[in-house]
Amino acid sequence: MISDRTSLPRFWATVWLTGLGGAGKSENTQKARLRHIGAFYEACDARYGPDALDRAIGGGHVNAVLAMLGDFYLTVSTIQSPDSWDVSRWEAVRAFSKAVALLLTPWDAAWNVVPHYLESLGEIRRGDEGKFRFVRALPDLVLDELLAIAHPESELNPFKDERVRWRNWLIVHLLLLGGLRRGESLLLQVDSLKHDVDRVTGQLIYWLDVTTTEYEDERATKPSIKTAESHRQIPVLSDLVAIYEHYVNEMRVSDGDVPFLLTSARSSALSAESVTKMFEQYTAALSPVAYARFYECTGGKRHISPHDLRHTSATARYALFMAQEDGSKELTLQRMRAFFGWSVTSKMPELYAKAAIQDDLLRSWNDLFDKRILRLRAGNQ
């Protein structure tokens, strides 16, 4: 048992969170990392006694910390098929331990060995690492059925409340036409839709401000903007504008205190979990043929996810942007990064470029969007 010189439960986790590497991250990211570091603390408690890790760090027992790190690495790395959660857990513990050691090294050079030890242990790879992963749009059949099911006037729509149907219909199109992430759509405010007059054509042009808000967010899973580049303005077509305005003016449930665009039937800000469950219910309404096609093309996914529509949007827009830029791949990738909020170093545009050249997508995307727009116009008349 380590002698007790400093006993402040989870003290160093708090130090790390507030100043050594945890600060500046979104609240959800901080929570996830603290859960990972908490698991490390608990493992140390179980093997070495209560508050063992904090006491070892506070007491300058470098060798004890190295032993704890080695034990934890062995526990995580020997899992038969580590998943992304296991990988993230070890990476969080590595980052935390390295930051603490670097902070303490000026007072005790012995801590300098910790980063080198962590480097020698290395990373943990996912069990499926090395397998090629396809980034794919929803198959045509699946997307057609999803749109038919989600339409507010559809008999197949699993939601009975008209207001909920129109809200969900807007969500589908924010993800599909706007290419938004789930969290980005949940951060939109009622006045996020902006407009101005085009000086050349004299026509109204619309866009969405995708950014954070200063309002207090009481949701358990707080939506956030992923990167600095994700703060952006995206152009909006008249079809999406019509759905947006109809929802805001006629269907949105609000008691006046909630600034967020998407609300629940009880007038509270809509949760991320509700959006996920919405797509689970749409998935359950697919025909057996469409569901089998979805299951096959996604490598065994059981539910359509909000991000599947972002994949679909990005794959489609690559082909559209290529046409608008006369086949210039460089300009197309720049437009993709600006539209979808990716950094200049992100590899995502290239992944969608690969997906877009698949034969089934090239044959049908333009026709598919034309048909969708016709359906929207017919439904709004």
Side-chain angles (χ1 to χ4, degrees), residues 3-9 11-12 51 54-60:
S3 62
D4 187 0
R5 287 178 55 184
T6 302
S7 181
L8 295 173
F11 171 78
W12 288 102
D51 304 331
D54 275 343
R55 290 189 288 116
I57 297 173

Side-chain angles (χ1 to χ4, degrees), residues 28-46:
N28 290 337
T29 299
Q30 289 177 337
K31 285 181 179 179
R33 290 184 174 184
L34 283 177
R35 281 196 292 269
H36 293 321
I37 295 170
F40 179 39
Y41 268 95
E42 291 170 4
C44 296
D45 290 347

